[in-house]
Amino acid sequence: NGRTSKRYYATLFFGDKNKIQPSEQQSKNRQHGESKSERHTSSFMRVTDLEVEASSSTPPLGAKPGSKGRWAQLVPGYDNELQAVFKALEKAGLDAISDESLWTAADKMTERIFRSRVEQGYPTIMDHEGTAQDSSVLMWNGIFYDSYLECDIPAIRSSGIIAMEAVCLADLLLDSSRTQLYNKFCLDRTDEILYFNDFHTESVTKVVRTKSKHPLLPNPFEFVTLMHARKLEPEDCHGEGFLIVSRAVTLSNEKIDPKASEILLNVNLIKKIDGVVGKCEMINMNHGNSPMIPTFLVKKLGADGAISFLNNIRSLCH
């Protein structure tokens, strides 16, 4: 019937010690690094807007000639360099999704409900909220200047209640084998590189390849994306929960396609709700560049996608 019990979400990454572990070879790579073929087992990420030193003076194949962009080469095993980049990406994501001055309510309902939360705190959560019967989604619009692309690009922020424990929702989003449960346009998602899956620090970082086909677009499209997830910390000022930040990367043996769509910065902020069991709040930010798609269509696809993303996850909850 398309529904899935909440018990189905066995935690793969954050919930217990039964986690997916790196292979023996990956563990050796992490300890000793790689030599002969590291450019073919790594990825490159743009860090122009991040507070981090670029670790690579050579950009990936197909990078914009003469651009001001800085790149970091992410090589498994070089943990200190990797953590510096990932922490900078975390900060960029948290700053962007949390700064209210960057966002404008997309409708009067969002404006009214958000103002009420600021003034009176979180309202009582009703039984139906976060389930398949709930279609309420708060929406904001934002415009972010991208220094590498040298243009303003629209972004979308969305928020809604999900009838699922925060840890289960974080695991669902990280589990590539379950992507098609909530992303109806996804043809396939595979894990390309596993950087971290650390039980002690409870962080997960990997590169995934997603192939999708939207009915309004003539051809399938593909994203290669780094996903970095960790538990929320007290200094984040968002309570308990999880943070997932994502950005496009280029694998070392592949070439950048200047006409391809690119994820500039996606954020999933998954927050426990005080006093509420079995439900959490998810706040999402989507910021991408699609040079071959008209701007008006990008905005429509972005808004529709943000709403359907939340509602498709709710459809899995009783």
Side-chain angles (χ1 to χ4, degrees), residues 5 12 40 50 74 76 85 99 111 116 138 212 310:
S5 168
L12 297 175
H40 299 285
L50 304 184
L74 308 176
V85 174
D99 188 347
E111 185 176 4
S116 175
L138 305 185
S212 302
L310 280 161

Side-chain angles (χ1 to χ4, degrees), residues 51 88-103 144 157 238 243 265 267 285:
E51 297 176 8
L89 187 63
E90 290 173 12
K91 183 179 186 303
L94 272 174
D95 287 350
I97 203 168
S98 305
D99 188 347
E100 296 303 329
S101 68
L102 301 176
W103 301 99
F144 292 79
R157 188 175 73 172
H238 284 289
L243 170 72
L265 184 63
V267 184
M285 169 184 165

Side-chain angles (χ1 to χ4, degrees), residues 46 58-67 69 71 148 250 255-258:
R46 289 202 290 112
T58 305
L61 296 172
K64 191 177 177 182
S67 69
W71 296 84
Y148 176 74
T250 301
K255 183 178 180 180
I256 293 177
D257 180 357

Side-chain angles (χ1 to χ4, degrees), residues 28-95:
K28 290 180 180 179
N29 291 343
R30 282 188 55 179
Q31 293 174 11
H32 307 294
E34 299 182 0
S35 55
K36 293 182 180 179
S37 60
E38 67 178 21
R39 283 187 62 85
H40 299 285
T41 56
S42 63
S43 64
F44 289 84
M45 185 174 73
R46 289 202 290 112
V47 294
T48 310
D49 59 327
L50 304 184
E51 297 176 8
V52 65
E53 293 294 327
S55 62
S56 172
S57 59
T58 305
L61 296 172
K64 191 177 177 182
S67 69
K68 301 177 182 178
R70 294 186 299 122
W71 296 84
Q73 185 178 6
L74 308 176
V75 182
Y78 291 81
D79 290 6
N80 291 337
E81 291 85 351
L82 292 172
Q83 291 290 7
V85 174
F86 299 155
K87 286 186 178 298
L89 187 63
E90 290 173 12
K91 183 179 186 303
L94 272 174
D95 287 350

Side-chain angles (χ1 to χ4, degrees), residues 113-124:
I113 293 177
F114 185 74
R115 184 187 300 117
S116 175
R117 288 182 183 178
V118 171
E119 296 173 353
Q120 304 175 24
Y122 223 100
T124 301

Side-chain angles (χ1 to χ4, degrees), residues 11-303:
T11 51
L12 297 175
F13 297 97
F14 291 115
D16 54 41
K17 294 184 180 180
N18 297 319
K19 297 177 181 292
I20 299 174
Q21 297 297 331
S23 66
E24 182 179 350
Q25 185 60 47
Q26 284 176 313
S27 298
K28 290 180 180 179
N29 291 343
R30 282 188 55 179
Q31 293 174 11
H32 307 294
E34 299 182 0
S35 55
K36 293 182 180 179
S37 60
E38 67 178 21
R39 283 187 62 85
H40 299 285
T41 56
S42 63
S43 64
F44 289 84
M45 185 174 73
R46 289 202 290 112
V47 294
T48 310
D49 59 327
L50 304 184
E51 297 176 8
V52 65
E53 293 294 327
S55 62
S56 172
S57 59
T58 305
L61 296 172
K64 191 177 177 182
S67 69
K68 301 177 182 178
R70 294 186 299 122
W71 296 84
Q73 185 178 6
L74 308 176
V75 182
Y78 291 81
D79 290 6
N80 291 337
E81 291 85 351
L82 292 172
Q83 291 290 7
V85 174
F86 299 155
K87 286 186 178 298
L89 187 63
E90 290 173 12
K91 183 179 186 303
L94 272 174
D95 287 350
I97 203 168
S98 305
D99 188 347
E100 296 303 329
S101 68
L102 301 176
W103 301 99
T104 303
D107 51 60
K108 292 189 179 298
M109 182 189 75
T110 296
E111 185 176 4
R112 175 176 52 81
I113 293 177
F114 185 74
R115 184 187 300 117
S116 175
R117 288 182 183 178
V118 171
E119 296 173 353
Q120 304 175 24
Y122 223 100
T124 301
I125 303 298
M126 307 299 291
D127 289 344
H128 78 282
E129 288 190 75
T131 69
Q133 287 72 47
D134 183 12
S135 60
S136 174
V137 177
L138 305 185
M139 298 284 292
W140 293 263
N141 296 316
I143 297 290
F144 292 79
Y145 179 77
D146 188 276
S147 57
Y148 176 74
L149 298 172
E150 299 180 343
C151 63
D152 291 328
I153 298 177
I156 291 174
R157 188 175 73 172
S158 57
S159 172
I161 304 298
I162 302 293
M164 198 181 297
E165 295 286 356
V167 63
C168 297
L169 179 54
D171 273 332
L172 174 65
L173 299 185
L174 289 169
D175 187 353
S176 294
S177 70
R178 293 188 281 168
T179 306
Q180 291 175 312
L181 290 176
Y182 56 86
N183 185 341
K184 306 306 180 184
F185 303 135
C186 178
L187 302 176
D188 186 41
R189 194 178 96 179
T190 56
D191 294 347
E192 298 288 330
I193 300 175
L194 178 63
Y195 287 107
F196 294 105
N197 191 6
D198 195 324
F199 172 72
H200 297 289
T201 61
E202 297 206 303
S203 64
V204 178
T205 311
K206 62 180 182 175
V207 173
V208 301
R209 186 188 302 273
T210 306
K211 299 178 181 178
S212 302
K213 176 67 174 74
H214 195 284
L216 293 181
L217 301 177
N219 300 312
F221 52 95
E222 182 176 284
F223 294 104
V224 179
T225 311
L226 180 128
M227 299 181 69
H228 173 66
R230 67 159 172 82
K231 267 190 167 183
L232 288 174
E233 300 169 351
E235 54 266 33
D236 297 328
C237 301
H238 284 289
E240 294 184 71
F242 298 87
L243 170 72
I244 303 175
V245 287
S246 304
R247 170 166 286 186
V249 294
T250 301
L251 295 178
S252 52
N253 58 341
E254 297 183 355
K255 183 178 180 180
I256 293 177
D257 180 357
K259 297 181 180 180
S261 298
E262 177 184 6
I263 294 174
L264 302 174
L265 184 63
N266 282 1
V267 184
N268 308 110
L269 188 59
I270 303 170
K271 302 167 60 173
K272 293 183 180 180
I273 303 172
D274 291 342
V276 178
V277 177
K279 296 188 179 184
C280 63
E281 179 185 16
M282 180 161 65
I283 307 172
N284 303 312
M285 169 184 165
N286 303 101
H287 187 212
N289 179 45
S290 301
M292 300 304 293
I293 304 176
T295 302
F296 78 92
L297 188 55
V298 169
K299 292 181 178 179
K300 174 177 172 51
L301 294 178

